[in-house]
Amino acid sequence: MQSLAGHTEWLRLVVDQVSDYLFIKDRDCRFVFANRSVAEDLGIKNAVDLLGRSDADIHSPQLARKYEADEREVMRSGEPKIDFEEFIIRPDGTRKWVSSSKFPLRGENGVVYGIFGISRDITARKRTELLMTGQARILEMIATGRPLPEVLEALLCMIEEQLDGVLGSILLLDESGKRLLHGAAPSLPKAYCDHIHGVEIGQAVGSCGTAAFTGQPVIVDDIMTNPLWAPYTALAEPFGLTSCWSTPIISHDKKVLGTFAMYRQGGPIADVAESKLIADTVRLAAIAIERTRAEERIRFLAENDTLTGLPNRRELEHQLEQLLVDAEKNKTGVAVVFCDIDRFKSVNDSFGHAIGDLVLQIVSERIREVLPDDHILIRFGGDEFVLVISGGLAEKTNLQELLGRVRAAVAAPMHLAGQTFRITCSMGTSVYPEDGATAEVLLQHADTAMYQSKKSGRDTFQFYDRMMSEGSLMDLTLLEDMRVGLESNQFFLEYQPQFDLQSGQLIGLEALARWNHPKKGRVPPSRFIPLAEESGLIGALGDWVLEEACRQVQRWNEKGYDPILMAVNVSQRQFSDVNLVKKVKETLQVHGVKPSAFEFEITESLLAESPQMAVAKLSELRAMGMKLAIDDFGTGYSSLSALRSFPLTRLKIDRTFIENAASDPGSQGIVRSIILLGRELGLNVIAEGVETNAQKEFLLRSGCVCGQGYLFGAPMGADEIVKLLARSPPAQLRGIAS
Ligand SMILES: Nc1nc2c(ncn2[C@@H]2O[C@@H]3COP(=O)(O)O[C@H]4[C@@H](O)[C@H](n5cnc6c(=O)[nH]c(N)nc65)O[C@@H]4COP(=O)(O)O[C@H]3[C@H]2O)c(=O)[nH]1
């Protein structure tokens, strides 16, 4: 008996040395035997204290039910359950994975009276497995574009599963690089996260604020005493947070993206953290954040214009369609406004593209400031913007008032690169449902109305009118008529005389195109010249004008009249023709006209469009001996230095300045400056549109040499000019080299 007792004692000593769990349970699943390993992990000092207790007395009901179900099945079937994985949760909340085998215990009569169990610790292996599958799952989430908060949360859950008692948190550095924003923290109290959200980073801002600022990990084992946490102890204390290890999340190009922090409630953090796990976690977090930011950037680029930050054309169509659906439902209006900057190309060419870009940014900001936030402004492309206005503001009187403010805001002076100038815009508006039912039609009609604003002198806005579209149709018919007219001699030239203001002598003629339409009668140049320019027909018309002017000079030469300077207008498109110089040379030669008796009138904007090409071409024409004038001078953006580089011979002061010159001091000042500028550059100056003696007197007083206008003679036929030529031979132009 004694030997048996000694034997039992000896047996217990042996089984208590074994690190595996060894246990026996009766038919009611109550412990009848357990070794020390089982008791220790359950926080029970003496293994005998386990005897008679069931899993329900020790574990959570969920775990207890699972263990019991397995054991009852072994007893019922009489078959052992070998090497299966399960886990226990210790009283401190940590998890232990085990590989268990449970065998039925039979008496000599073969009756099963309990189970014998053995379980081996496989936590390390299991964690590695879980870590690998967890990481693979997170990479899959990143690859399939799951939302960032979801990915970060899964990442932290994986960490919390790996590191017992750790509460994870990820904070993201905001765009300014100054503040940390909440990313994910599945186990931290919400109130704590709310406090941290938006914290400014710095030298001593807890663990995360400091880690983000320095770019280095910050390990704080005692929050209450560490100086980095001094301002935040009161924040951590109510939540029982005692330690925190924060590691900066760094991008591939070494920028701080945020922080990954591990907190503990009770005890230091340094003993639970594993550096390899931390390194893997911040790497995965960096991939997730960078991928999300790259996607956001791509989306932004796809939907917005990079220069102004405004939504782009693609976005407009999408948003406008949606607005129209809402407007249809709510029976409200939507206005589409096309806004185009006037003469933007000239701005770009005169001041450079960098200034052009700034102008676009300023214009977009100015419009945005005037437009209430809930209405849309998009950059349609180039110098075109589209405003979409809905609700009460889309009603005509409100809209008029709003567009007036947009117009004024855009036109306010701009001070850029040491220059001050005004930019204006032309706008056109179409309104749903009156002017169109779809986004496409509304845009098209707003564009048509904008085009009308341009035609009517720019710096204004127009509402779409059906007649405008009909006008476009009429334009097409007129264009066709013009083609026919050019071939069937419906065009002819009139000549307007130019005079020396002092001597009153004839000094030159300006050839002006005229069209006698078989049905419509005289069509004014203001109608057909812009149409010819837009359509490209101006090339053929310009060739014809040059040819006809040369023929006329030739006729007068043959009749023995003294040679007179003949000026012809050259449009922008005509000037861009690569064969222009060759054509002019040939035409003059064919008709025996001296180039020195010919003048080209070009516009200021033409010089601004492409200054290098203009200098090259003008130099060639000038080298032939032709004279070169700038027409409508004063309306463009020419600067003194730019003008110097062009080989010009005269400036024609724009009619609008002469119109007011006798009375308006502003116009007088401009006229005087142009005359001075001409003198400074050694150019002859002629005033156009002189209608009154008062204007003539003012010009004489200001030192203007030449004039042209109804006061001296309207454009007239060649026969009338002959009478002038017969009366007095033309004088040489003063101030121009031949
Ligand atoms: N109010 C007023 N107007 C005066 C006076 N004196 C002359 N005019 C008008 O002023 C315009 C002068 O021509 P522009 O500035 O070159 O302006 C021209 C020019 O830009 C263009 N144009 C005319 N013929 C041609 C041409 O053959 N080729 C090209 N490219 N353009 C042409 O059409 C524009 C208009 O031509 P027009 O209607 O003939 O109008 C002419 C002329 O009739 C005046 O005292 N008061």
Side-chain angles (χ1 to χ4, degrees):
M1 193 61 200
Q2 207 198 344
S3 69
L4 184 62
H7 184 71
T8 310
E9 191 54 33
W10 176 80
L11 206 58
R12 170 151 287 283
L13 278 174
V14 171
V15 294
D16 279 348
Q17 290 305 308
V18 177
S19 60
D20 293 352
Y21 296 161
L22 296 173
F23 55 91
I24 296 172
K25 287 178 177 173
D26 63 16
R27 278 207 71 87
D28 292 328
C29 300
R30 291 178 186 279
F31 282 98
V32 288
F33 171 80
N35 69 348
R36 196 165 56 193
S37 281
V38 178
E40 266 176 2
D41 277 348
L42 296 177
I44 292 167
K45 250 191 179 164
N46 204 334
V48 289
D49 292 343
L50 265 175
L51 305 188
R53 294 167 78 175
S54 71
D55 286 319
D57 303 329
I58 303 161
H59 297 287
S60 69
Q62 210 181 353
L63 268 185
R65 269 199 300 277
K66 187 187 166 307
Y67 300 148
E68 201 179 313
D70 282 343
E71 288 160 11
R72 287 199 186 282
E73 179 54 24
V74 169
M75 289 188 275
R76 191 199 60 77
S77 64
E79 293 293 329
K81 190 171 179 190
I82 310 274
D83 266 346
F84 64 98
E85 286 178 5
E86 56 182 357
F87 62 83
I88 68 141
I89 297 176
R90 299 187 184 97
D92 65 359
T94 59
R95 188 179 292 231
K96 177 169 178 172
W97 283 91
V98 289
S99 171
S100 299
S101 296
K102 291 180 183 176
F103 304 89
L105 277 180
R106 289 175 205 276
E108 278 170 13
N109 55 2
V111 175
V112 176
Y113 59 84
I115 61 122
F116 164 64
I118 175 164
S119 301
R120 171 155 296 174
D121 182 5
I122 55 162
T123 307
R125 193 194 82 203
K126 192 68 192 169
R127 282 203 166 142
T128 310
E129 260 175 46
L130 284 173
L131 186 63
M132 282 168 71
T133 48
Q135 287 177 339
R137 192 167 63 89
I138 282 155
L139 282 171
E140 190 184 311
M141 286 174 86
I142 297 172
T144 53
R146 305 298 307 160
L148 185 63
E150 217 178 276
V151 177
L152 298 182
E153 182 147 336
L155 183 59
L156 292 176
C157 286
M158 183 184 82
I159 290 301
E160 290 175 2
E161 214 164 57
Q162 292 288 318
L163 301 175
D164 290 327
V166 160
L167 312 175
S169 148
I170 288 178
L171 296 172
L172 304 172
L173 198 60
D174 73 354
E175 263 180 41
S176 71
K178 290 193 177 137
R179 290 181 183 279
L180 286 171
L181 306 178
H182 176 75
S187 307
L188 277 179
K190 185 175 175 306
Y192 178 77
C193 297
D194 290 347
H195 278 299
I196 294 290
H197 181 72
V199 70
E200 193 165 329
I201 65 172
Q203 284 290 6
V205 183
S207 300
C208 296
T210 314
F213 188 78
T214 58
Q216 297 297 324
V218 174
I219 305 163
V220 171
D221 265 339
D222 186 358
I223 284 177
M224 293 304 141
T225 56
N226 193 298
L228 293 181
W229 273 83
Y232 304 101
T233 47
L235 182 63
E237 204 172 11
F239 304 106
L241 302 172
T242 52
S243 53
C244 177
W245 177 329
S246 181
T247 309
I249 302 168
I250 309 283
S251 69
H252 72 281
D253 54 352
K254 311 274 179 278
K255 293 201 179 92
V256 175
L257 299 168
T259 55
F260 158 58
M262 297 174 298
Y263 289 84
R264 272 191 95 185
Q265 292 166 313
I269 188 76
D271 60 345
V272 290
E274 290 174 29
S275 58
K276 162 98 174 60
L277 188 60
I278 295 170
D280 286 351
T281 307
V282 290
R283 190 74 215 104
L284 277 175
I287 293 170
I289 298 167
E290 286 198 273
R291 157 104 196 206
T292 304
R293 299 224 165 131
E295 269 169 9
E296 281 168 1
R297 180 92 192 118
I298 291 166
R299 201 172 315 122
F300 182 84
L301 290 177
E303 292 169 359
N304 291 271
D305 160 50
T306 40
L307 182 67
T308 59
L310 294 175
N312 61 20
R313 185 179 186 152
R314 227 185 63 168
E315 261 309 278
L316 169 76
E317 275 152 27
H318 174 71
Q319 294 189 21
L320 185 53
E321 291 292 358
Q322 187 52 49
L323 269 179
L324 295 182
V325 171
D326 296 347
E328 167 66 22
K329 218 186 304 161
N330 308 327
K331 299 287 166 245
T332 51
V334 175
V336 176
V337 183
F338 228 102
C339 172
D340 186 286
I341 299 180
D342 296 327
R343 298 195 175 93
F344 182 67
K345 191 160 176 9
S346 303
V347 175
N348 244 345
D349 293 336
S350 309
F351 302 117
H353 286 266
I355 296 285
D357 284 355
L358 275 177
V359 166
L360 287 171
Q361 284 170 338
I362 294 172
V363 167
S364 71
E365 280 160 20
R366 288 181 176 181
I367 302 178
R368 195 63 269 183
E369 265 167 36
V370 173
L371 194 66
D373 281 348
D374 43 345
H375 303 278
I376 301 169
L377 172 65
I378 69 122
R379 181 165 173 217
F380 198 71
D383 59 345
E384 289 172 329
F385 296 87
V386 169
L387 293 74
V388 180
I389 295 145
S390 45
L393 211 50
E395 283 163 22
K396 199 161 181 175
T397 40
N398 294 337
L399 204 52
Q400 263 170 333
E401 197 265 332
L402 176 75
L403 296 187
R405 285 195 289 128
V406 170
R407 194 188 137 263
V410 172
M414 276 187 197
H415 313 282
L416 287 176
Q419 317 244 19
T420 300
F421 48 89
R422 268 181 78 228
I423 293 294
T424 58
C425 65
S426 301
M427 290 178 277
T429 304
S430 65
V431 179
Y432 172 87
E434 299 91 291
D435 302 329
T438 63
E440 194 188 338
V441 172
L442 286 165
L443 280 166
Q444 192 187 325
H445 287 170
D447 190 23
T448 306
M450 185 275 289
Y451 187 64
Q452 284 300 318
S453 293
K454 292 262 180 213
K455 269 190 170 171
S456 64
R458 305 181 167 97
D459 190 18
T460 185
F461 57 85
Q462 298 261 341
F463 283 87
Y464 174 75
D465 183 319
R466 216 156 23 93
M467 293 297 285
M468 290 176 181
S469 296
E470 282 164 18
S472 308
L473 199 68
M474 273 159 56
D475 282 353
L476 284 179
T477 322
L478 197 67
L479 189 62
E480 194 43 43
D481 288 355
M482 211 189 316
R483 281 205 179 92
V484 175
L486 265 176
E487 281 161 15
S488 52
N489 296 326
Q490 291 170 18
F491 283 82
F492 62 100
L493 289 183
E494 280 191 334
Y495 306 91
Q496 186 172 33
Q498 300 170 336
F499 294 92
D500 182 306
L501 288 176
Q502 260 171 0
S503 66
Q505 278 183 292
L506 181 67
I507 48 150
L509 302 170
E510 178 181 0
L512 292 157
R514 300 287 178 256
W515 180 16
N516 210 354
H517 191 282
K519 287 193 190 125
K520 294 189 168 81
R522 279 248 195 152
V523 181
S526 57
R527 181 87 181 89
F528 68 80
I529 295 285
L531 200 57
E533 274 177 3
E534 276 160 40
S535 63
L537 199 61
I538 196 75
L541 180 65
D543 289 350
W544 177 83
V545 170
L546 181 67
E547 186 86 40
E548 180 57 21
C550 283
R551 262 197 299 269
Q552 190 55 62
V553 171
Q554 188 182 19
R555 274 180 224 127
W556 285 330
N557 285 347
E558 282 165 6
K559 286 193 178 155
Y561 293 109
D562 285 341
I564 185 164
L565 183 69
M566 174 71 83
V568 294
N569 289 280
V570 176
S571 81
Q572 192 142 342
R573 256 181 125 131
Q574 212 182 330
F575 191 74
S576 319
D577 181 352
V578 283
N579 294 319
L580 176 80
V581 179
K582 190 166 157 260
K583 265 187 203 166
V584 172
K585 214 180 255 178
E586 282 171 8
T587 314
L588 292 175
Q589 245 166 21
V590 166
H591 298 283
V593 176
K594 276 200 205 141
S596 60
F598 239 84
E599 180 177 68
F600 268 177
E601 287 187 13
I602 53 174
T603 57
E604 250 186 296
S605 53
L606 181 149
L607 298 182
E609 283 294 320
S610 173
Q612 277 155 350
M613 185 269 278
V615 169
K617 216 168 251 184
L618 292 174
S619 303
E620 276 189 81
L621 294 168
R622 188 74 194 102
M624 280 165 57
M626 278 190 70
K627 297 194 167 65
L628 303 166
I630 302 197
D631 204 1
D632 307 333
F633 189 75
T635 54
Y637 298 102
S638 311
S639 65
L640 187 63
S641 56
L643 274 182
R644 258 186 221 291
S645 55
F646 300 110
L648 303 166
T649 47
R650 78 166 152 180
L651 303 179
K652 287 189 88 174
I653 309 175
D654 189 56
R655 202 163 60 226
T656 51
F657 301 120
I658 307 300
E659 203 176 309
N660 305 316
S663 52
D664 170 42
S667 299
Q668 285 175 357
I670 293 173
V671 171
R672 280 203 205 95
S673 337
I674 297 176
I675 295 166
L676 278 174
L677 180 65
R679 211 175 280 161
E680 165 79 13
L681 295 174
L683 304 177
N684 175 274
V685 177
I686 182 166
E688 58 180 0
V690 184
E691 294 181 349
T692 66
N693 272 315
Q695 291 166 343
K696 180 186 155 190
E697 292 310 318
F698 164 75
L699 288 165
L700 273 172
R701 275 201 309 280
S702 308
C704 182
V705 183
C706 308
Q708 165 185 355
Y710 295 164
L711 181 66
F712 314 110
M716 53 188 85
D719 297 346
E720 296 295 309
I721 295 291
V722 166
K723 287 182 198 159
L724 285 179
L725 288 173
R727 216 179 296 149
S728 66
Q732 282 302 305
L733 209 54
R734 284 189 277 152
I736 296 186
S738 55

